[in-house]
Amino acid sequence: MQTFQKIAVPFAAVILFVALWEFLVWANNWPDYVMASPSDLPAAYSKFWELFLIGSWQTLWRTVAGLALAVLFGTLLGMIMGFSRIARDALYPILVGFNAIPKATLVPVLALLFIGQHNFNTVLMAFLISFFPIAVSVGIGLSTLEPEYRDILRSLGASRFTIFRKIALPKTLPEFFGALKVSVTLAFIGTNLVEIISPHGRGLGALFLSGQTNSNYPLMFAVLIALAVLGIILYYFVVLLERIFAGWAERPQQ
């Protein structure tokens, strides 16, 4: 019953959203250059299906690569901040300041630093925009670790890595996966920033820009929906990993 509910409720919500979207376009008599309706999108998918397949793959693998780097470096940075108060006090202002910078302003900087390296620039932007929540969640999880556990393991000769693996990692997994869910959407934003702004952009962002240039508004909305679908797929993949590795933290609802 719970499995059926977890599938049926999100599916029903999507159907309701699409129906409401179609009704608003119909009720306001909006032309497709103002607001394309869901019924306008199948034609765009049918006409440009090959570009959608290629663009979706290009966007997805760059996003996943940037997210993987964010997990790796965000976890390492979080460990440094979690185990060292000095490192935490030194790095937090830098991280917060960097995170406050609009990432769209970094796209031309990266394009000048790494001329012609579009794949590298795209993956790097996905990484830069998504590692912050992971680093903070791991750092907070480790810094709030009960000191008695840490003292006992240290008295037994355990290294910091052993303490992290045995005690801190299980404790921080719920916060880690919560941050990873946020980072998934941020990574897609980073990828599409480069794909749209970069003159050599590829992927769904470049397809969106092509639709904008040619005033093909149904194509633009179709790209947005495709991006949303990719984001949902990657998000629920993270949910699956969370249930596998941190399912014990989920409390049953009454």
Side-chain angles (χ1 to χ4, degrees):
M1 182 63 182
Q2 288 184 349
T3 302
F4 174 78
Q5 181 178 341
K6 289 180 179 180
I7 297 175
V9 171
F11 182 77
V14 171
I15 296 299
L16 181 61
F17 170 78
V18 171
L20 180 60
W21 178 7
E22 185 77 31
F23 173 75
L24 288 175
V25 174
W26 172 80
N28 291 280
N29 197 26
W30 285 328
D32 62 6
Y33 58 83
V34 173
M35 174 67 76
S37 66
S39 57
D40 294 326
L41 305 187
Y45 290 124
S46 176
K47 184 177 181 180
F48 302 103
W49 66 270
E50 188 172 0
L51 293 177
F52 270 101
L53 287 178
I54 296 173
S56 297
W57 167 246
Q58 291 174 334
T59 297
L60 183 60
W61 82 257
R62 296 189 191 110
T63 301
V64 172
L67 190 61
L69 290 175
V71 170
L72 176 60
F73 287 96
T75 302
L76 291 175
L77 192 61
M79 289 176 63
I80 293 172
M81 293 189 299
F83 283 123
S84 172
R85 179 62 181 269
I86 295 176
R88 186 162 62 251
D89 292 341
L91 291 175
Y92 254 87
I94 298 175
L95 290 177
V96 172
F98 176 79
N99 197 56
I101 297 175
K103 298 306 180 288
T105 62
L106 297 179
V107 175
V109 175
L110 295 179
L112 289 174
L113 286 175
F114 309 103
I115 297 176
Q117 302 297 320
H118 176 71
N119 287 335
F120 178 79
N121 290 341
T122 309
V123 172
L124 181 60
M125 180 57 69
F127 158 72
L128 290 175
I129 203 172
S130 61
F131 85 98
F132 179 78
I134 297 174
V136 171
S137 67
V138 173
I140 292 176
L142 292 178
S143 64
T144 56
L145 180 64
E146 288 80 356
E148 55 269 20
Y149 294 147
R150 188 181 303 178
D151 293 339
I152 292 173
L153 287 175
R154 282 181 177 174
S155 66
L156 296 175
S159 65
R160 288 187 174 184
F161 180 76
T162 301
I163 296 174
F164 174 77
R165 183 169 58 89
K166 294 290 187 179
I167 301 296
L169 180 59
K171 180 182 181 297
T172 58
L173 276 179
E175 292 84 359
F176 169 79
F177 279 108
L180 187 56
K181 292 174 186 177
V182 176
S183 295
V184 164
T185 58
L186 293 177
F188 270 106
I189 293 174
T191 302
N192 282 274
L193 276 176
V194 180
E195 290 178 347
I196 293 174
I197 298 177
S198 174
H200 305 290
R202 294 187 295 273
L204 290 178
L207 189 58
F208 177 87
L209 185 61
S210 175
Q212 184 183 43
T213 302
N214 295 285
S215 299
N216 190 336
Y217 297 96
L219 175 59
M220 294 169 59
F221 280 91
V223 170
L224 295 179
I225 296 302
L227 286 171
V229 170
L230 287 180
I232 291 172
I233 291 173
L234 196 54
Y235 173 86
Y236 277 102
F237 179 73
V238 173
V239 171
L240 177 61
L241 293 178
E242 182 182 26
R243 290 179 180 174
I244 294 174
F245 295 104
W248 50 267
E250 183 178 356
R251 296 180 179 177
Q253 298 180 353
Q254 301 298 329

